[in-house]
Amino acid sequence: MMTIIYFILILGITVFIHELGHFMFAKKYGVYVYEFSIGMGPKIFKFNRKNDETDYCIRLFPIGGFVQMAGEEVEVDETIPEEKRLQSKTAFQRFMIMVAGVMMNFILAFVLLFLLGLFNRVSVNNVYINSSVINNLNDNDKIVAVNGRFVNNYDKLALEMTIAADKDFTMTVKDQNGNKKDVTVTPVAIGKSNLPYQKNYGFEVNDVIVTNSSINGVSEGDTITAVNGVNVATYLEMVNELAKSEDSLTLTLKDKQGLTKESKVTVTENKDDQLLGYSYGFYIAGEEAKGFFGAIKYAFLKFISTIEQMVFTVFYLITGDISLSMLSGPVGIFNVVGQSAKAGFSSVVSLLCLICINVGFINFLPLPAMDGGHILFIIVEKIKGSKVNPKIENMIHNIGFILLMLLMILVTYNDILRLF
């Protein structure tokens, strides 16, 4: 239930603040606004204010929203005075109306990132090794590249590792003396038991603590201390050793009373497992953000690194390094919201920041139907010295909107496939 609530709140806040930007500047410059709507599909709630032409609506599906302004139609609405139509406004006024949604998303994200930095323990410059089970990879080594591609922040590192997926990759690090070295990283796929993917061990874990077990001698609350005689003190060490075992293994455990015991485990195949992610054999950390100025630094660096990640994502989509099947829509976001909700409120706020920046960035792209597409036409107008035919412009945006909806359907279809 909380996942549904958080999902509606995150998308609702993101869309509301974006459309509010368009709405405020449209009203400021005297554009006639037919409707200010949050959500898509049938209307479930509507109200009007006195001496205000706008319908304020909430629609059934919380996956978008819009501000419908006079002058955006293919056919001109002759019932609206020309001076109240969007296309009658100056280039600067139309630019401000279109860019206002992106600005509001970015401002909200920055403020929330600042608050996260102020009231939570967060790290800046977080590309330093904190713990590792990989030979020749030590604490405080700085990650500088993945497969030869420059890395300078966590978001770029996460993107490059996502592209690598389950394949071995080369990570270049710089030690404390400034010496560079290459290490090979072998990702371990993790299933819903928090253990290696598509393997059934008969138990599940949280860190190195057993949370569920169907094996005699292995009980909930037991701590795993060794796998096949190799001591394991961390989750990384445990998963690394478990991944080496094919058919059977020996666990050494410590029960709630502190008594040590051993148990033989038979490893079987689990084709119905759900892939949750990957363990890369290392953790990272960075400088902790402290105080007011530390929070500002964190907000600024995190905002910039997220934008940079979006730029590289678009670039990799064009080059084919990322396929459309890797993108997520509402269903994928819902799953991520569920995971964030389990991690705590701060994680949900971090997700809200990420989605706000994503929505702002995507809308700024110079594509038809996007805010950036409208801005592109304004730039074309300034270059050619005369306005683009409103009918032609609006028709292009309408076609772009249809293509966008088709892309959304494709992405949602891929999201659903990943559930099974």
Side-chain angles (χ1 to χ4, degrees):
M1 185 64 183
M2 286 305 299
T3 298
I4 296 174
I5 293 173
Y6 279 137
F7 176 75
I8 293 173
L9 282 175
I10 287 174
L11 287 188
I13 291 171
T14 302
V15 172
F16 173 76
I17 202 71
H18 182 92
E19 299 304 333
L20 181 63
H22 293 314
F23 177 77
M24 288 192 307
F25 277 83
K27 288 290 189 180
K28 173 182 172 64
Y29 293 125
V31 175
Y32 189 99
V33 179
Y34 298 106
E35 183 178 337
F36 179 9
S37 187
I38 301 300
M40 305 293 281
K43 295 177 184 178
I44 59 175
F45 178 76
K46 184 184 87 168
F47 75 93
N48 299 91
R49 296 163 54 195
K50 188 177 180 180
N51 299 322
D52 185 355
E53 76 276 1
T54 306
D55 290 337
Y56 298 87
C57 305
I58 296 178
R59 294 176 178 263
L60 182 60
F61 304 112
I63 56 172
F66 58 89
V67 172
Q68 185 181 6
M69 295 174 278
E72 292 184 298
E73 316 89 346
V74 174
E75 296 298 328
V76 176
D77 186 351
E78 299 292 349
T79 65
I80 305 300
E82 184 176 357
E83 68 273 11
K84 284 185 167 290
R85 299 174 199 160
L86 178 64
Q87 297 298 342
S88 70
K89 302 304 175 182
T90 66
F92 175 77
Q93 290 172 334
R94 281 178 285 133
F95 172 83
M96 290 304 301
I97 291 170
M98 292 305 157
V99 82
V102 174
M103 287 169 48
M104 291 291 280
N105 281 132
F106 286 172
I107 290 170
L108 175 61
F110 188 88
V111 170
L112 291 177
L113 286 172
F114 167 74
L115 293 175
L116 283 172
L118 194 61
F119 296 109
N120 293 273
R121 295 186 63 180
V122 293
S123 295
V124 295
N125 304 323
N126 48 351
V127 285
Y128 291 87
I129 300 299
N130 185 41
S131 180
S132 170
V133 295
I134 301 174
N135 291 333
N136 204 31
L137 189 60
N138 306 309
D139 285 1
N140 298 315
D141 283 350
K142 182 181 179 180
I143 303 168
V144 295
V146 171
N147 285 337
R149 290 172 170 168
F150 178 66
V151 166
N152 64 339
N153 55 63
Y154 172 79
D155 293 306
K156 186 61 162 54
L157 173 64
L159 178 61
E160 295 297 345
M161 292 194 301
T162 298
I163 292 172
D166 58 350
K167 304 178 185 68
D168 288 7
F169 60 86
T170 300
M171 191 166 68
T172 305
V173 298
K174 185 185 294 185
D175 65 22
Q176 296 182 72
N177 297 318
N179 300 315
K180 288 185 179 181
K181 56 188 175 183
D182 290 337
V183 296
T184 299
V185 178
T186 302
V188 176
I190 302 298
K192 60 184 177 182
S193 63
N194 288 324
L195 298 173
Y197 180 55
Q198 291 191 334
K199 290 185 178 181
N200 181 16
Y201 295 87
F203 63 93
E204 298 178 2
V205 298
N206 179 14
D207 197 24
V208 292
I209 309 297
V210 175
T211 58
N212 188 25
S213 173
S214 59
I215 305 173
N216 290 330
V218 178
S219 306
E220 182 179 342
D222 286 351
T223 300
I224 299 172
T225 59
V227 177
N228 289 332
V230 178
N231 291 335
V232 294
T234 66
Y235 176 78
L236 285 180
E237 293 172 336
M238 180 192 68
V239 167
N240 187 56
E241 293 303 319
L242 288 175
K244 298 175 182 178
S245 304
E246 293 296 329
D247 301 317
S248 63
L249 57 91
T250 300
L251 288 181
T252 305
L253 308 107
K254 187 175 292 185
D255 65 19
K256 293 179 180 179
Q257 286 71 43
L259 301 176
T260 298
K261 57 185 178 180
E262 284 192 352
S263 179
K264 297 286 186 181
V265 175
T266 299
V267 183
T268 59
E269 192 174 38
N270 179 14
K271 286 292 188 180
D272 296 326
D273 200 4
Q274 180 183 349
L275 179 64
L276 293 186
Y278 296 91
S279 172
Y280 295 97
F282 61 88
Y283 291 132
I284 63 171
E287 169 195 346
E288 184 179 343
K290 295 181 180 179
F292 181 85
F293 292 106
I296 291 178
K297 181 179 180 181
Y298 167 75
F300 179 78
L301 292 177
K302 185 63 177 178
F303 181 86
I304 295 299
S305 70
T306 306
I307 293 290
E308 180 186 347
Q309 184 188 45
M310 296 300 100
V311 171
F312 276 104
T313 298
V314 172
F315 176 74
Y316 290 155
L317 278 169
I318 294 171
T319 61
D321 290 294
I322 294 178
S323 67
L324 286 176
S325 63
M326 296 176 69
L327 301 181
S328 287
V331 175
I333 293 173
F334 182 82
N335 288 333
V336 175
V337 169
Q339 296 169 20
S340 297
K342 292 177 183 178
F345 182 72
S346 293
S347 182
V348 174
V349 176
S350 294
L351 180 60
L352 172 58
C353 294
L354 176 62
I355 292 177
C356 266
I357 295 172
N358 270 260
V359 168
F361 177 84
I362 291 171
N363 270 279
F364 198 63
L365 294 176
L367 301 173
M370 300 293 189
D371 298 335
H374 289 277
I375 292 171
L376 178 61
F377 273 98
I378 295 171
I379 294 172
V380 169
E381 172 189 318
K382 296 301 291 182
I383 292 174
K384 68 191 287 284
S386 61
K387 289 189 175 182
V388 178
N389 187 317
K391 287 188 177 182
I392 295 176
E393 179 181 347
N394 292 337
M395 186 177 297
I396 291 173
H397 289 310
N398 287 337
I399 293 172
F401 179 77
I402 293 171
L403 293 175
L404 181 64
M405 289 300 100
L406 291 174
L407 176 61
M408 180 67 72
I409 292 171
L410 174 62
V411 170
T412 302
Y413 174 74
N414 289 329
D415 280 342
I416 294 172
L417 287 182
R418 281 194 285 265
L419 296 177
F420 301 99

